[in-house]
Amino acid sequence: MSSDSTPTSAAAPLNRPMITVAIMLATLIQTLDSTIANVALPHMQGTLSASQDEITWVLTSYIVAAAIATPLTGWLSDRLSVKRLLIFSIGGFTVASALCGLSETLTQIVASRLLQGIFGASLVPLSQSILLDINPREKQGQAMAVWGMGVMVGPILGPTLGGWLTDSYNWRWVFFINVPIGAFALFGVATFLPAREPKHDAKFDAFGFATLGLAIGALQAMLDRGEQLDWFGSNEIVIEALLAAISFAFFLVHTATVGKKSFFKYELLRDPNFATGTFFIFVIGAVMYATRALLPPMLQNLMNYPVATTGLVTAPSGAGTMVAMLFAGRLLKRIDARLLLLAGFLISAFALWQMMQYTIVLSASDIVWPGVIQGFGLGLVFVPLSALTFSTLAPELRADGTATYSLMRNIGSSIGISIVQTLMTRNTQVSHADLAANITPFNPAIQPMLNSGSNYDLAVLNASITQQASMISYLNDFKLMFVATLLVIPLLVLIRPARQAPDASVAHAAMD
C-alpha cells in the first residue's frame, strides 16, 4: 500500500477504535464462514436434493475461489485504494451471503459460494495490513492480538454457532447471520476509514496471476477432494495435480525472467523475518486446523457425542487462545518475542502429547483442558509471530505480504487436514487388520462369542475392533502433529528481533 497522502487526509485524526471494530467485524464473518457451513451440509443436502459428492462442492467452491483471489489483494489495494477495495469486498461478501441463504438449487448455492470466496478473499489480509498501518510500532503487538482473535477464534466457533443456528432455525441462517454483521462493518469502514488516491499506473501481470491462480486453485481442489476420491486412483485428482504442477512451474519461470514486472513481489522473500514467519504460519495452519478437523468426528463417531455437545467441549480452546493473545500483546513490550514463540510451541506440543493419551473412554474435562492448553499455546505463537513477520517489512509491501501470509496459512491448513484424514483412513484399515489377526478360535477371551455362532455377536465384535482401530489412528495423527510442532522449534534461530523504531506513528504508511 502506498504512503502517498493528501494534506487534508494527513491532518485528519484517525478514529482507531471504530476502524478496528469495523474491520474486525469484516474479518469475523469471513473466518466464521470457513467452518460454519460444515455442520449444515446434511440439512442442505436434503433441501437441495444433492448427493453426498455434490454437496461437498458447497465447501470446495468457497475454498478454491478464496485461494485464487487472495493473491490479488496487493494489486487491487493499489489500483482501487484500500478503502474502496474493502467496501467492495464487504458489500459483495454480504450480498453473496444473502444469495446463499436464498438459494433453491445446488447450482445457485455453489455459484453464490464462489462469489463469497472471491469477495471475502481480501478481508483477512486487508484487516491485518490496516491494523499494522494505523498503529505505531509500540502498539502493533496489541493490534495483532486483536486481529488474531478474529482470525483464530472464528473457525473454532463456526461449527458451534452453525450447529445452533441449524438446530434452532434452519441451515439458511448460517448465511443470513452475515448480513447484519456485514452491514455494520460496511457502515464503519465507509464512515471512519480515511481514503487515499489509488495508483492508476499500477501494472497487472496477467500471465503471472493466471498461472499462480490456476496452480493454487487446482491444488486446493485436489486437497479438498483427494481423500473422498481415493487420491491418485481418480482421474480428477491426477488432472488437478498435473495442472497444479505445470502451472506453478510456468509461474516460477515467468517470475524469474520478468523481474519486477512479475505479479509476485519477490522482494518479500529477501526479508528473512517474513520468509521464516510465513513458513511458521504454514505449519501453524496445518497443526491447528488438522486438530480441529480430527476432534469433532472422533467425538461424534467414536463416542456418540451430539453435534451441540461436540461444539461445547471444543469451543473452550478459543477461550484459551483469546486469553493468551491478550497477554501476548502486552508481553511483547517486555519480553523477546522469540521467547514467547518458544513458550507457545512448547505449550502446544504439551497439549498434543495429552491428546496422544486419549482412550475410548473420555470425560468432558479430558477433552476441554487439552483444547484450552493448545489454544493458549497457539495464542502465544500467533501474536508475536505476526508482529515479527512484518516488523522488518517495508510498509509498501504490507498488502502483498499480508495476502501471502494468509494464503500460506490457508494452504497449510488444507494440506494438514488432507494428510491427517488420509492417514486416518489408511491407518484404520491397517490397525483393523492387525487387531483382527488376534481373533482366532484359540483366543480364550472371545471363544464364547465365536462358539455362539450368532451373527449379532460377530457384528458387535467387528464394531468394537473398528472402534479401537479408529482410536489408534487418531492417536497416530496426534503424534504426527506433536512431532511436527517440535521439529519447527529450531527454526526460531532464523528470526531476528524486531528493529527498534522511534516513538512515532506509522499510520501515514497507508492512509493518514
Side-chain angles (χ1 to χ4, degrees):
M1 288 184 286
S2 174
S3 59
D4 296 340
S5 58
T6 63
T8 302
S9 65
L14 284 174
N15 191 333
R16 289 185 178 86
M18 292 308 300
I19 294 174
T20 301
V21 169
I23 63 175
M24 289 315 301
L25 286 175
T27 301
L28 183 63
I29 58 175
Q30 199 276 343
T31 55
L32 273 174
D33 255 53
S34 65
T35 58
I36 196 173
N38 297 25
V39 296
L41 285 184
H43 300 270
M44 296 183 199
Q45 185 178 349
T47 303
L48 303 174
S49 301
S51 67
Q52 182 67 40
D53 179 63
E54 291 171 337
I55 202 64
T56 59
W57 281 103
V58 173
L59 303 179
T60 304
S61 57
Y62 178 84
I63 293 170
V64 172
I68 293 174
T70 297
L72 276 173
T73 302
W75 179 80
L76 286 174
S77 67
D78 284 336
R79 191 69 176 83
L80 301 177
S81 84
V82 174
K83 182 172 183 175
R84 290 175 186 170
L85 175 58
L86 198 53
I87 289 174
F88 186 68
S89 298
I90 296 172
F93 188 88
T94 304
V95 171
S97 298
L99 292 175
C100 287
L102 295 171
S103 297
E104 296 293 339
T105 66
L106 180 66
T107 303
Q108 290 175 356
I109 195 169
V110 169
S112 300
R113 288 284 280 176
L114 280 170
L115 291 176
Q116 256 195 328
I118 292 170
F119 286 113
S122 297
L123 295 180
V124 170
L126 278 182
S127 65
Q128 184 180 22
S129 181
I130 290 170
L131 284 177
L132 287 169
D133 286 335
I134 67 173
N135 286 281
R137 186 178 296 278
E138 63 271 14
K139 291 186 178 180
Q140 287 183 356
Q142 292 172 295
M144 288 299 95
V146 173
W147 177 77
M149 281 189 278
V151 172
M152 301 284 278
V153 175
I156 296 172
L157 297 182
T160 305
L161 180 60
W164 178 76
L165 288 171
T166 303
D167 291 340
S168 302
Y169 302 96
N170 60 56
W171 65 264
R172 299 182 186 278
W173 281 96
V174 167
F175 301 107
F176 288 148
I177 190 68
N178 292 333
V179 176
I181 301 175
F184 279 116
L186 188 62
F187 172 79
V189 169
T191 304
F192 299 106
L193 188 66
R196 67 168 174 82
E197 287 300 315
K199 289 183 177 179
H200 295 292
D201 59 344
K203 304 296 183 181
F204 182 63
D205 177 15
F207 184 81
F209 170 70
T211 51
L212 180 61
L214 185 58
I216 293 173
L219 175 64
Q220 286 283 23
M222 181 187 78
L223 294 172
D224 190 60
R225 293 174 56 78
E227 174 59 26
Q228 180 184 348
L229 300 179
D230 193 27
W231 291 102
F232 295 101
S234 164
N235 290 333
E236 177 187 327
I237 299 301
V238 172
I239 292 172
E240 287 165 350
L242 288 174
L243 274 177
I246 294 172
S247 299
F248 191 65
F250 272 106
F251 172 75
L252 290 177
V253 173
H254 175 74
T255 302
T257 54
V258 300
K260 293 186 177 181
K261 296 180 181 179
S262 171
F263 177 77
F264 178 77
K265 294 186 178 180
Y266 58 85
E267 294 95 332
L268 294 170
L269 300 179
R270 293 178 178 175
D271 188 302
N273 275 13
F274 179 81
T276 308
T278 302
F279 174 75
F280 274 124
I281 200 63
F282 174 86
V283 175
I284 291 171
V287 172
M288 183 187 76
Y289 285 97
T291 306
R292 301 290 172 259
L294 285 176
L295 284 176
M298 185 187 80
L299 297 176
Q300 293 174 37
N301 299 334
L302 295 188
M303 302 170 193
N304 299 317
Y305 273 53
V307 174
T309 306
T310 300
L312 289 175
V313 297
T314 55
S317 63
T321 301
M322 292 179 67
V323 171
M325 286 181 170
L326 290 175
F327 277 111
R330 298 179 182 276
L331 290 174
L332 273 177
K333 298 178 181 179
R334 302 176 178 88
I335 301 177
D336 190 329
R338 293 171 294 181
L339 293 178
L340 288 178
L341 285 172
L342 176 62
F345 279 119
L346 290 175
I347 292 172
S348 298
F350 174 69
L352 289 168
W353 177 82
Q354 288 183 305
M355 294 177 188
M356 288 165 54
Q357 316 308 315
Y358 280 168
T359 65
I360 291 294
V361 181
L362 290 175
S363 66
S365 62
D366 293 330
I367 303 163
V368 170
W369 286 112
V372 171
I373 293 171
Q374 187 193 33
F376 189 87
L378 289 172
L380 285 182
V381 169
F382 202 84
V383 175
L385 180 61
S386 298
L388 280 176
T389 300
F390 295 95
S391 64
T392 55
L393 193 67
E396 62 269 16
L397 293 175
R398 280 183 185 150
D400 292 280
T402 52
T404 303
Y405 192 73
S406 295
L407 179 64
M408 291 304 293
R409 187 186 72 251
N410 293 335
I411 292 178
S413 68
S414 296
I415 291 176
I417 291 172
S418 296
I419 289 173
V420 297
Q421 287 180 340
T422 300
L423 292 176
M424 170 66 197
T425 301
R426 296 184 179 181
N427 288 339
T428 298
Q429 296 172 351
V430 173
S431 298
H432 189 284
D434 291 340
L435 293 173
N438 296 308
I439 307 301
T440 69
F442 307 103
N443 189 330
I446 59 169
Q447 276 182 351
M449 188 175 292
L450 294 177
N451 292 336
S452 70
S454 169
N455 289 332
Y456 176 78
D457 288 344
L458 294 176
V460 170
L461 178 61
N462 183 66
S464 178
I465 294 172
T466 301
Q467 185 185 43
Q468 294 290 342
S470 297
M471 193 69 218
I472 292 172
S473 298
Y474 280 116
L475 298 181
N476 287 337
D477 279 346
F478 289 134
K479 183 177 181 179
L480 173 65
M481 289 183 286
F482 169 76
V483 173
T485 303
L486 292 179
L487 288 177
V488 80
I489 290 177
L491 295 177
L492 288 174
V493 299
L494 299 177
I495 296 182
R496 297 180 299 176
R499 296 179 305 205
Q500 295 298 319
D503 294 331
S505 174
V506 296
H508 64 278
M511 291 167 288
D512 276 0

